[in-house]
């Protein structure tokens, strides 16, 4: 099929690769414009742009698709379908209508649960037993379109957002290739009105750990915000990101080190498995404590 691909971050790259490997004709790749990044604040292309250029594919990164000129350029590509995954721009109705089969979105949740910007983070933080991927026919509402294909995967006790991100990205790549191969036989299933939840963008304030909360909630916060933006706490004046943790038994004043890297919470305790200090890379707990010892009775937060 003649495909327009629309995506920007790392999550989208395996999907682009899968479409190319499946032999689809990729008419154009749309992504977010390069933005200043790194110490030199030089413009850095998105991961999708970098991969598309490596594959020799044409790339466009308009700041908006609301203008008539951009919409005409999109329609002129004469695509069978557009595949959209974490693109980052709202698609106006003329864009949604331009490809012969419309626009298909790969969404990393079991819709209608967790529509919106941060479905993977929210599923982990909420303690969901499972999540998954939906291939959705796009319409003007936010992730409201009928679902063509869905597949679930369990969320394990050890799953971080980073681990689920990679698993769901691979699932999405596999499912979209399957969906395009039998597009004429798939029946769009409208989303139910019940069970709608919105996955709001993660706010900065959500990353700060409140040790008075129950241990299971804090452990999910830590795993749900790992690796980015990273749940954090402080020891003296040092900020520490906590990147993996499990709820465990324990008792003490909230925020107090019980032993090694086990911290008392409002209910129970959290055993930290991975952490990071400013200027250092992520480290397992034992390695972290070799360079930054904590002792029983120390207070975090």
């Amino acid at each position: 099929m003649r495909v327009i691909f629309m995506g920007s971050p790392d999550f989208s790259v395996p999907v682009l690769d899968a479409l190319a490997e499946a032999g689809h004709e990729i008419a154009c790749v749309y992504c977010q414009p390069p933005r200043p990044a790194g110490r030199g604040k030089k413009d850095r292309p998105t991961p999708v742009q970098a991969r598309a250029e490596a594959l020799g594919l044409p790339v466009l990164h308009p700041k908006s698709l609301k203008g008539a000129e951009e919409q005409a350029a999109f329609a002129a590509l004469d695509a069978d379908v557009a595949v959209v995954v974490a693109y980052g721009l709202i698609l106006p109705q003329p864009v949604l209508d331009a490809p012969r089969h419309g626009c298909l979105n790969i969404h990393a949740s079991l819709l209608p649960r967790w529509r919106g910007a941060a479905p993977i983070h929210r599923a982990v933080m909420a303690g969901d037993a499972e999540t998954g991927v939906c291939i959705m026919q796009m319409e003007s509402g936010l992730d409201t379109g009928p679902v063509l294909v869905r597949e679930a995967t369990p969320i394990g006790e050890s799953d971080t957002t980073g681990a689920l991100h990679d698993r769901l990205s691979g699932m999405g790549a596999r499912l979209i290739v399957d969906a395009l191969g039998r597009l004429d036989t798939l029946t769009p299933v409208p989303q139910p009105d019940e069970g709608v939840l919105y996955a709001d963008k993660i706010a900065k304030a959500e990353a700060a750990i409140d040790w008075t909360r129950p241990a299971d909630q804090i452990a999910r916060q830590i795993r749900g915000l790992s690796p980015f933006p990273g749940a954090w706490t402080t020891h003296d004046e040092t900020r520490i990101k906590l990147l993996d943790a499990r709820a465990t038994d324990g008792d003490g004043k909230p925020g107090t080190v019980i032993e090694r890297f086990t911290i008392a919470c409002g209910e129970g305790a959290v055993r930290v498995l991975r952490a990071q200090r400013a200027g250092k890379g992520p480290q397992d707990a034992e390695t972290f404590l070799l360079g930054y010892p904590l002792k029983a009775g120390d207070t975090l937060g």
Side-chain angles (χ1 to χ4, degrees):
M1 299 184 80
R2 184 170 169 83
V3 177
I4 297 171
F5 182 79
M6 310 180 83
S8 296
D10 287 321
F11 186 85
S12 311
V13 172
V15 181
L16 176 60
D17 282 339
L19 292 172
E21 290 168 8
H24 292 289
E25 178 190 358
I26 300 175
C28 189
V29 172
Y30 278 72
C31 58
Q32 288 283 296
R35 290 192 170 90
R39 292 183 178 179
K41 296 297 180 184
K42 294 182 179 179
D43 280 353
R44 178 182 297 173
T46 65
V48 163
Q49 179 176 344
R51 183 59 182 153
E53 290 175 347
L55 292 171
L57 300 172
V59 177
L60 291 173
H61 38 71
K63 293 182 179 179
S64 170
L65 291 169
K66 294 179 180 179
E69 186 176 341
E70 288 294 346
Q71 292 174 12
F74 187 90
L77 291 169
D78 193 31
D80 294 311
V81 68
V83 172
V84 184
V85 50
Y87 175 40
L89 285 182
I90 293 174
L91 304 189
Q93 196 64 46
V95 170
L96 294 174
D97 294 339
R100 277 177 282 281
H101 293 282
C103 300
L104 303 185
N105 178 247
I106 301 172
H107 188 75
S109 82
L110 297 175
L111 294 167
R113 188 172 178 85
W114 301 130
R115 294 173 177 172
I120 305 176
H121 296 80
R122 296 296 177 193
V124 177
M125 293 170 72
D128 289 2
E130 64 177 6
T131 185
V133 168
C134 287
I135 308 296
M136 176 190 65
Q137 186 81 51
M138 295 181 71
E139 55 183 34
S140 58
L142 177 62
D143 299 328
T144 58
V147 174
L148 296 169
V149 179
R150 73 168 58 222
E151 184 174 308
T153 185
I155 301 177
E157 185 188 43
S158 63
D159 277 329
T160 62
T161 284
L164 270 183
H165 169 284
D166 295 346
R167 193 154 88 233
L168 295 174
S169 177
M171 282 177 60
R174 173 172 52 81
L175 291 177
I176 193 63
V177 170
D178 171 67
L180 293 182
R182 54 192 183 98
L183 195 54
D184 291 335
T185 66
L186 293 174
T187 301
V189 178
Q191 294 183 38
D193 294 328
E194 301 79 27
V196 175
L197 279 179
Y198 287 92
D200 293 331
K201 194 174 181 180
I202 301 296
K204 287 184 178 180
E206 292 182 83
I209 296 172
D210 176 1
W211 292 105
T212 65
R213 296 171 67 208
D216 58 345
Q217 293 181 17
I218 294 175
R220 294 199 306 264
Q221 176 191 14
I222 291 169
R223 294 195 302 273
L225 298 181
S226 174
F228 181 82
W232 61 270
T233 189
T234 56
H235 176 246
D236 295 331
E237 295 183 0
T238 299
R239 180 180 286 208
I240 303 171
K241 278 188 179 182
L242 306 183
L243 301 173
D244 196 7
R246 303 287 183 275
T248 188
D249 294 331
D251 190 32
K253 183 180 178 182
T256 301
V257 177
I258 298 173
E259 59 175 357
R260 302 296 289 165
F261 221 153
T262 298
I263 317 299
C265 305
E267 296 175 16
V270 159
R271 179 167 56 92
V272 177
L273 303 179
R274 196 162 180 79
Q276 181 178 10
R277 281 187 290 151
K280 302 284 186 180
Q283 297 175 314
D284 64 78
E286 292 303 316
T287 303
F288 181 94
L289 292 173
L290 287 175
Y292 193 91
L294 293 171
K295 62 182 183 297
D298 283 358
T299 299
L300 301 182

